[in-house]
Amino acid sequence: MRSTFLCRGLALASALMLGAAASAQMIRSAGDGDAGPMPVPDLSPTVLRSLEAEYLTPEEGARMRVFHGVAREGDVDTPEAAARAALISGAYDDPALTVTTNLLDRAEALVLAGEAESALTITQQNTTMRGAWIRITALNDLGRLDECIARIDETLGAFDDRTSTSAADVTLAARMLILRIRLAGPEGDDVAGEYETALRLLATARQSLDRLYWPAILVEAKLLQERDNRPQAFEAAQQVLTMCPSSADAWYLLGRLAVDSLDFAGAERVALRLDELAKPGISVHASLVRARAALRARMPDEAEVNLGKALDTMPRHRESLAVFAAAAGVAYDFQTLDERLAQYDEVAPGSPRALFEAGAALGARRQYPQAIRLLTEASRRQPAWADPLIELGLTQLQAGEDVDALGTLSAAFELDPFNVRADNSLRLVREVITWPTIETEHFVVRYRPGESEVLATEMGPVLEEIHDVVTGAQPGGIDHEPAQKTLIELAPDHASFSVRITGTPDIWTMAAATGPVIAVDQPRAGPGHLGTYDWPRVLRHEYTHTVTLSRTKYRIPHWFTEASAVYLELAPRDFPTVMLLARAVETGTLFDLDRINNAFSRPEGPNDRAQAYAQGHWMYEYIVERWGPDAPLEMMDLYAAGADEGAAFDRVLGLTRETFMSDFTRYANDALIEWGVLLPDGEPGVRDMLVEKMTTDEESRQAASRRLDALLEGLGEAATGGAPAAGALDASLPLPKLTPELIRTWLAERPEHPELLELAIEADLGERGGAPDESMIPLLERYATARSVDPMPHRNLARIYLESADPSMAIPHLEYLDARETTRNVFALELAKRYAGAEQWGEALNKALRASRFAPFDADHRELAATMAIKAGRLDVAEAQIEALVMLEPGQRVHEQRLEAVRKLRERQGN
C-alpha cells in the first residue's frame, strides 16, 4: 500500500515532500513521553549565599547542606548525617536509619515506614516537641484517636509560641493544631480562626524565626493541596524544592498534583526523580505516585504491582495499604476490597483512611452506591474530617442526588470553609436546586431562569427522539433504558459547567455525562463559552454514555463506551479523522487494546486522544459489521457481570484480543484503499513515479529513492525548525519538475488515480487563481468518486454550482459538507436558502432548524426557521420559534404581534 497524503496550498513539489515529513514528525512526537526524571529547580540564591557563608565551620556547613538537600561527598560519612539525609529524600529503608544514634531520627523513619508501635516504644521517654509529634503521628496511624487528641492537647497546652525560638518547634505546633482540627474539630465553633492560628504559626516559623526553614513552607503546600487549591500548592512545593531539592515530600506533592490534573507523563517524571532520591532503596513515594496514576487511568493491576514493591519493604505503610484497598475496588473485586479494608482495620482499628481512599476511587469510577457507602462510613468514624464529606457530596452530585449533596457539602463547608472544590460545588448546588425544570417522559431539563429557557424548552422533544434511537432495539441501539430519568443541566457558562463535573472550573469540553446527570455548556459564542456546536449530536453522544454505563453497571472499558457513543452520533467521519487513522494504519501505530485505553487518560503524543476516539469508533463499527449489532450488547452484559475484556472477546467474537487487532488492521487497510486514501499494492504513488522518472536501472532507482527519502526528511526537519539531515539538500539530486503537464500526462495513463486527480485539481486551481469554474466539474466529480472521504471536491463543486444558473445543483455537495460539520451552521443556512429557492419547504425547514440549534440564541436564525415553518405549513413549529424570539428580544413588539397572528391562524385551522 502507499499513502496519498498531500498538503494543499503549497507549491506542488513542496507539498509532496512536506506531506511525508509531517507524518514523520507526528511519529517523533508520539515518543516524547519517554523523558527522564523531572528536572530539579535551581537552588534559591538566598540559600546558596547562606551555604557559602565564610563564618560557617566545616561541620555547620555539612549540616546545612544535608538539611537543604545538597549534601556533598563527605557530608554524610557518619550514620547520623546519612540518616538525616535519608529522611529528607524518602529513603526510609536506608541502613543508616537503623544504626544512627539519634533515636528521634530512627523513630521518625519507623513511623514513616508504618512501624508505629516501634516508634512509640523509642519515643516513650522523649519530651521534646519532635518526640511528641512522632508519638502523635504513631497514635493516629494506629487508630488510637482519643489518645492522639489527648497528647496533642497536652503538648500544645505546655507550648508557648510567643517565647519559642525554634522554627521547627513552632512548625510542629502548627501541624499538631491542624491534625487536631481534623480529628476532633476546633475547640470552639471557629474552625476558620483555628486554621488561621495554624497559618500564623507557620508564618512565624518561616518569616520571623528562620527564613530558610523550608519544612514550614512544605506544611503550607500540603494544606493548600488538601484544600484543592492546586495552583498555589504547586507554587509552594516548587518554592520548597528551590530550598531543598531533595525533599521527597515536596516531590510527592508535585506527583499528586500531576495525577489530579491527569498529567500522567509528568507524574511518571516525578516518580523517576523520587526513585533517584531513594536509591539504592525503594521509594514509597514513587510507588504511590505511580499507583495513584494507574488508578486514575483505570489500571488497577498496574497500581497493585507498584504498591507491591513498597509493601514488600514496608508492609504496614498506611497510605500504601489504603490505596491497595482502593485498587481492589477499581478492579470491581468487591470481596477483595472488603478483605483489604478488614486487614487495614487490624493495623489501624477505627481509622477512616482506607475507607476514604477506596470511596474516592470508586466515586471516580462511577460506582456510586459503593462509594457513598464507604465515604459515609469514613465520615462516621471521623466526623470532624472534612475530606470524606467533600468526596461524598461531590459523588452525590455526580449521581444526581442534589438534595443529599447540598446537606453533605454544607456540613463539609462548616468543617473546612477553605476547600476550593467544596466551596465551588456548594455555591453551585445551592443555586441549581432553585432553578426551574422541564420534565419529559425520560428526562428532566434544568436551567437558570432567563434566556436559557429558550434552549431548555426545545430540548424536550429532541431528547425524546434521542432516547428512542439510543435505547432502541434497532441495529446500533443499546436496547436498554436507565432505571431513572436523566437530568440534563444547562450550565449558564463554561465555568459553572466545569464545576458541576469536577468541582473546579478547568475542564475544556462542552458536555459530560456522569451517569444519571449530563451537564451541558450552552452553545454560545463569546466570553465564558466554548462556542456554538451541534447540541443534538453532542447530547446523543453523552446520553449513549448514560445508557451504556447503566447497562454495564459502569463496568465498561473506556474505549468501548466512547466507541459506542461516537457510533451513535450517526454522523460520517470528517476528513482530518480519516487522515489521522490512515497515518496510524500506514505507520503501524494503531493502538492495541491496552494502549487505546491509556491514550484517553495518559496520552503520550498530541494526537493520541483523538486517535483513541477515532480508532475505537472504527473498531466498534467493525464489530457490528462482522459479528452483527447484538455483539457489542452481549459484550456489555459480560462486562456488567464482571468479565474482563479478554473473556468478552473470546466468548462473543471467538477471538483473542491479539487476533482481533490483527484482523481489524487488515480490515482498516482495505477500507482506506476503498476510500482512496491508501493505494493498493502495485499501484504507484506520485513519489514512486518521480523516482521512476529520475532513473532507469533498478540499482539507480533504489539509490534515488533513498536520496529522495533523505530530502523529504531534511525538508521536514527544516520546516519544523530543526537542521536538515546530512546530505538532504544534495544539489546533485536530479529532481524532475512536477509540472501540470506532467501530472496530466500521468493522469491520462491512470485516470482514476486519487493522488493524481488531487494534484490535477490543485494545478487547475493554481492556473485559475484559486477559483474553480465549470470546466473543472468532470475532474472534481472523478476525484470525489476516487476519494470519497475528502470534502475538497464537494467544496469546489458547491462553489461552482452556487454561482451557476442552477444553484440547486449545489445541494448534494452542501449536504455532504453539512453532515460532517460540528461547530458551524454555515452549510445548514445555505441549504435552507437553496431548498427554499426550490420551494422544497419541508427540507428548508429542517435545515433552518438545524442552523438554529447550532446557535439557539441567535434571533436571525430563529426568524429564518419561523419563516420556513410557515411556508412548510408547520404553524406549531413557527409558534415555537416566535416564542423563542419573544424571550430573546422581549422589547420587540413585532414578535408578539406575529405570535398572536400565528396562534389565531392555528385556531382557525384547528391545529
Side-chain angles (χ1 to χ4, degrees), residues 13 36 93 198 257 260 270 282 290 381 533 542 545 572 736 758:
D93 57 350
L257 292 171
D260 290 343
V270 170
I282 293 294
R290 292 188 175 104
R381 290 189 177 191
Y533 62 90
E542 298 302 333
H545 284 316
E758 180 185 13

Side-chain angles (χ1 to χ4, degrees), residues 394-464:
L394 293 172
T395 300
Q396 290 166 331
L397 268 182
Q398 307 294 343
E401 300 175 5
D402 292 348
V403 174
D404 290 342
L406 176 60
T408 302
L409 289 171
S410 296
F413 187 77
E414 289 294 320
L415 294 172
D416 186 356
F418 302 107
N419 187 280
V420 173
R421 283 198 303 161
D423 187 22
N424 288 339
S425 298
L426 181 58
R427 290 172 188 268
L428 180 65
V429 75
R430 280 174 174 165
E431 180 182 2
V432 300
I433 62 172
T434 68
W435 289 356
T437 59
I438 295 173
E439 196 159 344
T440 70
E441 183 179 357
H442 299 101
F443 298 90
V444 176
V445 182
R446 183 156 65 190
Y447 61 95
R448 176 187 279 179
E451 282 190 351
S452 298
E453 186 178 354
V454 172
L455 179 55
T457 301
E458 72 178 2
M459 272 188 165
V462 178
L463 286 169
E464 289 300 331

Side-chain angles (χ1 to χ4, degrees), residues 70-390:
V70 289
R72 300 173 183 169
E73 186 176 354
D75 287 347
V76 290
D77 285 348
T78 67
E80 288 69 33
R84 287 194 296 272
L87 282 175
I88 291 170
S89 62
Y92 304 143
D93 57 350
D94 191 301
L97 288 165
T98 63
V99 298
T100 178
T101 58
N102 188 318
L103 293 183
L104 289 182
D105 283 347
R106 191 185 302 178
E108 184 173 344
L110 286 168
V111 79
L112 290 172
E115 300 299 330
E117 288 282 9
S118 298
L120 281 177
T121 301
I122 291 178
T123 58
Q124 193 167 14
Q125 303 301 321
N126 192 283
T127 59
T128 66
M129 282 290 285
R130 186 183 177 199
W133 173 247
I134 293 171
R135 287 184 61 78
I136 287 165
T137 304
L139 291 168
N140 184 40
D141 283 352
L142 292 167
R144 292 159 60 177
L145 303 187
D146 290 342
E147 292 180 67
C148 179
I149 294 167
R151 183 66 175 178
I152 292 173
D153 290 343
E154 176 186 344
T155 304
L156 291 181
F159 181 74
D160 187 351
D161 64 279
R162 294 170 298 181
T163 59
S164 176
T165 59
S166 168
D169 287 353
V170 173
T171 298
L172 289 173
R175 297 183 72 179
M176 292 178 194
L177 180 56
I178 292 168
L179 179 58
R180 192 195 189 288
I181 296 170
R182 293 176 190 156
L183 294 177
E187 292 190 13
D189 294 329
D190 188 10
V191 62
E194 296 244 342
Y195 273 119
E196 287 171 2
T197 298
L199 291 173
R200 179 183 58 77
L201 290 171
L202 294 171
T204 298
R206 65 181 179 83
Q207 292 178 6
S208 301
L209 298 177
D210 185 349
R211 291 184 175 274
L212 300 184
Y213 191 69
W214 56 265
I217 304 172
L218 179 62
V219 175
E220 291 179 350
K222 291 180 177 179
L223 200 57
L224 288 164
Q225 186 261 341
E226 290 165 1
R227 272 137 193 77
D228 294 305
N229 191 334
R230 295 173 189 168
Q232 291 188 28
F234 179 84
E235 291 177 7
Q238 287 279 31
Q239 184 180 357
V240 171
L241 292 172
T242 66
M243 303 173 77
C244 181
S246 296
S247 170
D249 283 336
W251 282 112
Y252 180 52
L253 181 56
L254 289 182
R256 291 287 304 270
L257 292 171
V259 171
D260 290 343
S261 301
L262 302 183
D263 176 14
F264 297 120
E268 174 58 24
R269 297 183 72 193
V270 170
L272 290 170
R273 175 59 59 198
L274 287 163
D275 285 335
E276 291 287 328
L277 290 174
K279 280 183 176 179
I282 293 294
S283 169
V284 67
H285 296 97
S287 296
L288 281 166
V289 168
R290 292 188 175 104
R292 289 185 180 279
L295 291 185
R296 289 298 295 270
R298 309 183 186 193
M299 301 172 66
D301 291 345
E302 183 177 317
E304 292 187 350
V305 168
N306 280 289
L307 291 167
K309 298 174 183 177
L311 290 171
D312 285 345
T313 304
M314 305 172 201
R316 296 182 185 84
H317 188 265
R318 299 307 192 276
E319 186 177 356
S320 296
L321 288 170
V323 178
F324 191 59
V330 172
Y332 310 129
D333 186 349
F334 297 116
Q335 180 178 344
T336 300
L337 169 61
D338 289 340
E339 291 171 358
R340 290 178 182 175
L341 290 173
Q343 292 165 2
Y344 190 89
D345 274 345
E346 293 177 4
V347 175
S351 171
R353 181 63 179 272
L355 290 163
F356 168 72
E357 291 284 0
L362 285 167
R365 289 304 305 269
R366 313 298 191 214
Q367 299 295 298
Y368 298 130
Q370 296 92 335
I372 289 171
R373 175 178 64 84
L374 296 182
L375 291 168
T376 300
E377 173 61 15
S379 180
R380 186 197 66 78
R381 290 189 177 191
Q382 194 169 314
W385 189 22
D387 289 17
L389 283 176
I390 292 168

Side-chain angles (χ1 to χ4, degrees), residues 7-83:
C7 300
R8 302 190 183 104
L10 302 172
L12 294 179
S14 297
L16 179 62
M17 296 170 187
L18 292 179
S23 295
Q25 179 63 25
M26 187 194 74
I27 298 166
R28 285 193 294 272
S29 296
D32 288 347
D34 299 330
M38 189 70 74
V40 177
D42 293 335
L43 198 63
S44 161
T46 304
V47 172
L48 197 58
R49 285 194 298 270
S50 297
L51 293 175
E52 295 174 347
E54 294 181 357
Y55 57 79
L56 292 175
T57 67
E59 293 77 12
E60 290 171 337
R63 281 198 300 272
M64 282 193 67
R65 286 190 292 273
V66 169
F67 175 72
H68 286 288
V70 289
R72 300 173 183 169
E73 186 176 354
D75 287 347
V76 290
D77 285 348
T78 67
E80 288 69 33

